[in-house]
Structure formats: C-alpha cells, structure tokens
Amino acid sequence: MANMIMRFPGGLPKALTLSYDDGVEQDERLIEIAEQNGIKGTFNLNSGAFAKEDVVYEPGTIHRRMSRSRVKEVYKNSSWEIAAHAYTHASLVGLPGNIATYEILQDRKELEETFGTFVRGFAYPYGAYDDASVEILKNCGICYARTVHSTHDFHLPTDWLRLPATCHHADPELMNLAKRFAEIKDWWDPMLFYLWGHSYEFEQFDNWGVIEEFCGYMANREDIWYATNIEIYDYCNAFSQLIFNTDMNMCKNPTSRGLWFSYGEKDVYVPAGNTVTF
Ligand SMILES: [Zn+2]
C-alpha cells in the first residue's frame, strides 16, 4: 500500500493558527497585524471577568481587559474564533466538579449569547489541567482545550483536549521554527504551526516587532491554510469519517464538507456527500 496523508482544504500540506488569551485591549492591534497578513486564530475569553463598561485604568496598567461591549465590537467583525477560558479565569484543577463545570459552561453560554455563535474551544487558565478537568470539558461539549506545553514540532495533536502548541511567541526558537515550517516540502504528515500567547505581552516587553516579523514571514504562502483552531479541529474530525474500501481505490465522504488527501502519487479530492474512485 502507498502512504496516505491527510491534506487541508484545497489540498494544502500545512496549516497555521494562533491562540491568544484573556480578552485584553492589545488584541485589537494583534487582529490588525495578523489580518493584514491573512492570518487568523482564536481568542480565549473569560466572560465573567470583562471590565466594567466605564472602566478607566491607572496609567501604566498593562493587563487591560475589555468590557463586554468593547469585546463585542473588537471581535465581531474579525475572522477569528471565540473560545472559552473559564468564566472567572479560575484554574480548573482543585475546584469541586460542580464549580469547574460552572466555570466552563457559564463562560460558554455567555460567550455564545454575546457573539451569537457556538463556542466549542477552550484554553486552560494558567495552563493547569488534570484528568477530571478533561472529563468535565467533554461533558460541556468542548472539543479541544489548549495547554501551555510547547512541542517545537508540527504534528497534529493526538489528544485535542490536551492540545499542545508549537511554541509561545516569546520562545527564542520562534523564527527558527517558522523557517523550518516554511521551508519543509515533502513531509510525511500534515503539518500544523500552532502559536500562542497574550497580546499584552507585546506591550509589556515593547516587542510588537516579534509578531509583525512572524506574521510577515508566514504570510501569502501557497502551501499554508490560515485557519482558526476550530476550523482545523472540524476539518480533522470530518476527515476521520471518510470511508474506504478494502482495495483502497474508492472513498466515500459522508460529511458536509469537501476533503483532501494524497495517496502515493495521487492527490484526491472527495466532495461533500460524494463517493470517488482513485
Ligand atoms: Zn489567561
């Protein structure tokens, strides 16, 4: 048998996504920089910790959460995904089960009301998680949850509820990893570059240049799919539902989206709801 490799939409071999936490004012500038370069991702928000509508911060305050109306305005017209990050930013580890459930579900519910959308992603506050938190997230209908582990590689996650990143934006290896990712041609696996951080850190360390350089370098590449976290999850999940015959020359796509893979030398596209021979 030949090797089979999942491809992203359009038959692309690579995907890039960002993940930024807390809903702070600096997200607005981050959206601008990323979107200028065709890049997007996911914002992880705490809907029980939005700032008061009339908030005025002390001069020099770096961590400036936005109010609900500002949050709505800033993200609603962007192409980014909204995900949960616990209602009050409490660490799930150590909380009684009912309270951890509330932290997740109430955040999900209020974000869904605010944005009129489905909220199915999560980032662990403080990166803290255990087996009990994973079970609760599953019961709350959360599909993936980001940790703060860095892999320094480009494999798709094997466990979406303990999702590691490629790296944080302050990682000294950032641009080396970006170059490796961009330059690799024939990898034997679909490749994902997953970057995370907090946008207030760019103000704190006066280094907006880090994300400008990264986005500028990664922009406009023909082999990269620029996606949100949930778009990547949904694509992989749909792909796992493909049905193949034993001779491995016929494939049925029971899902509602087009799917791509390569099999040996062949590039195969299976339209939604269709069966193809290859
Ligand atoms: Zn946070």
Side-chain angles (χ1 to χ4, degrees), residues 167-211:
C167 67
H168 182 278
H169 67 242
D171 195 311
E173 283 300 302
L174 176 68
M175 287 313 294
N176 288 334
L177 287 165
K179 286 189 179 101
R180 225 171 85 208
F181 181 78
E183 283 166 12
I184 293 177
K185 288 294 167 217
D186 297 309
W187 229 40
W188 47 275
D189 227 8
M191 294 171 68
L192 171 65
F193 198 114
Y194 189 113
L195 182 72
W196 83 280
H198 304 91
S199 64
Y200 67 81
E201 294 169 281
F202 298 121
E203 183 176 315
Q204 186 176 5
F205 300 105
D206 193 18
N207 62 358
W208 281 99
V210 166
I211 196 71

Side-chain angles (χ1 to χ4, degrees), residues 231-269:
E231 285 169 343
I232 296 170
Y233 170 84
D234 280 340
Y235 185 86
C236 294
N237 189 41
F239 192 85
S240 70
Q241 294 173 60
L242 283 177
I243 299 161
F244 295 91
N245 67 339
T246 314
D247 283 340
M248 196 57 187
N249 58 10
M250 195 159 69
C251 174
K252 177 177 177 166
N253 177 358
T255 78
S256 60
R257 60 168 312 149
L259 296 165
W260 285 258
F261 61 89
S262 63
Y263 182 63
E265 300 296 300
K266 295 174 197 162
D267 293 318
V268 183
Y269 166 57

